[in-house]
Amino acid sequence: MAHGSRWRRGEQAVDVDLAAEPDPLVARRIEAARVVAPAGQAEAGRHEMTGAAPDMAFDASKELALPPVAPAPELLELWFRLAQRTWTSVALVPADGGTTAAAPFARSLAEVGRRLHGAPVTAIAPDELDFATAAALAECVRAAARSPEGARVVVAVPPLVIEPLGTAAVQAADVVVLCIELGRTRLAGARRTLDLVGRERVVGSLLV
């Protein structure tokens, strides 16, 4: 499988070729844009997710609203490309330590999916990871496969070359998209990230 993709941002179009050979318990809140709900409860499914233990706790009494977002063309294109595949979870991974965080793009992609997909789409983007949080995040991603038909999860993790704990969640996801930033992403870092993720699981890249 080729791992180069061509994504557009504004008037720029860049080809990225990444197929070359490589040269305490959780006290923090795991920030969630939307939580998978039972079938037919897409709107009621916007719950707050807290990381109180390795198994996630859901508080249905509170709602997290996504900020208004005008979908960027590259995110629309990415969603439509992903829609051609069979998946319940996708991980957005910064390709290098200097790349912009993937969290805002995960939330925006989930919002695009919610509007187009007709089923709950959750964005999960923890600010920090420790062992317990990483395990809980990975379990949440795996749980997507047991969710009502059509529900999907978009997860964002810190750069794996800086915080390898995110690899647990990434390996639990069905597919992976690398986030690449012009002028900041280094080829060596991207190749290292590919090694950690698994080249065969990367379905494309997103210019951020």
Side-chain angles (χ1 to χ4, degrees):
M1 175 185 297
H3 303 294
S5 293
R6 186 176 177 87
W7 303 99
R8 291 186 175 273
R9 183 171 183 82
E11 296 301 319
Q12 294 180 316
V14 177
D15 291 305
V16 179
D17 182 9
L18 298 177
E21 288 302 315
D23 324 294
L25 291 177
V26 181
R28 304 180 186 87
R29 174 170 299 171
I30 292 182
E31 183 181 359
R34 187 164 283 102
V35 172
V36 174
Q41 297 182 6
E43 290 304 316
R46 289 176 287 177
H47 304 159
E48 183 178 84
M49 181 183 300
T50 60
D55 55 336
M56 299 302 206
F58 300 100
D59 182 357
S61 66
K62 298 181 180 180
E63 181 178 289
L64 286 178
L66 285 172
V69 175
E74 64 269 23
L75 289 174
L76 289 169
E77 182 180 347
L78 175 57
W79 179 265
F80 286 127
R81 287 180 177 271
L82 288 171
Q84 298 173 13
R85 298 175 175 270
T86 301
W87 60 280
T88 56
S89 56
V90 57
L92 269 58
V93 183
D96 184 35
T99 306
T100 299
F105 302 97
R107 297 187 189 102
S108 297
L109 183 63
E111 176 69 3
V112 169
R114 186 184 68 83
R115 295 180 183 182
L116 295 174
H117 183 48
V121 181
T122 305
I124 310 174
D127 292 326
E128 298 179 6
L129 291 178
D130 56 21
F131 282 100
T133 309
L137 183 59
E139 176 55 33
C140 189
V141 173
R142 285 190 291 267
R146 306 188 296 270
S147 297
E149 184 177 357
R152 293 179 174 178
V153 170
V154 181
V155 61
V157 297
L160 301 184
V161 294
I162 295 177
E163 183 48 88
L165 281 172
T167 307
V170 174
Q171 290 181 343
D174 295 324
V175 294
V176 178
V177 172
L178 294 186
C179 297
I180 296 174
E181 187 171 8
L182 291 175
R184 297 190 66 181
T185 298
R186 299 167 300 179
L187 184 57
R191 288 172 172 170
R192 176 59 179 156
T193 300
L194 276 174
D195 289 339
L196 291 170
V197 168
R199 294 169 179 265
E200 70 284 353
R201 303 180 61 244
V202 177
V203 297
S205 57
L206 175 67
L207 290 180
V208 300

